[in-house]
């Protein structure tokens, strides 16, 4: 069984995302900075790309942690990620 790790370290988050060809994004038409997402592959219609600077501004203001998995149970590269409350 693969484990997930939580972090608030910007460099670690960016490295994990970029290793999987992901991009920072947010859900369109949301307020207060928006709901953060990581967009992989073809851009999703419901998401808008944002800069890493904007991504981490919203991430820190909302006191989030980035929960992520490095490998799946079979050893493949995992894209599992989730934003959770740091409080």
């Amino acid at each position: 069984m693969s484990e997930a790790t939580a972090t608030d370290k910007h460099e670690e988050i960016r490295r994990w995302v970029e290793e999987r060809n992901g991009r920072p994004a947010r859900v369109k038409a949301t307020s207060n900075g928006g709901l953060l997402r990581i967009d992989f592959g073809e851009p999703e219609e419901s998401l808008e790309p944002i800069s890493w600077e904007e991504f981490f501004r919203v991430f820190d203001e909302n006191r989030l942690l980035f929960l992520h998995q490095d490998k799946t149970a079979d050893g493949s590269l995992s894209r599992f990620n989730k934003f959770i409350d740091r409080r």
Side-chain angles (χ1 to χ4, degrees):
M1 179 176 203
S2 290
E3 293 184 19
T5 305
T7 186
D8 63 354
K9 293 179 176 53
H10 294 190
E11 306 82 32
E12 185 177 337
I13 296 166
R14 186 171 180 165
R15 179 191 50 77
W16 186 92
V17 170
E18 290 178 346
E19 283 178 353
R20 290 155 178 79
N21 297 315
R23 297 170 304 283
R26 71 174 146 218
V27 176
K28 290 181 180 177
T30 54
S31 60
N32 297 331
L35 296 171
L36 296 178
R37 297 289 185 267
I38 303 301
D39 201 6
F40 297 101
E42 289 295 315
E44 286 190 38
E45 190 75 24
S46 63
L47 300 179
E48 65 179 335
I50 58 174
S51 68
W52 280 113
E53 183 177 276
E54 176 68 3
F55 177 89
F56 287 122
R57 182 190 67 76
V58 173
F59 181 84
D60 290 339
E61 283 180 1
N62 288 286
R63 301 187 44 79
L64 298 173
L65 285 172
F66 183 70
L67 184 67
H68 63 285
Q69 179 184 45
D70 289 327
K71 302 277 184 185
T72 62
D74 69 4
S76 301
L77 199 62
S78 176
R79 288 186 176 172
F80 170 79
N81 69 90
K82 182 177 180 179
F83 296 97
I84 58 176
D85 194 355
R86 199 184 309 178
R87 297 173 204 150

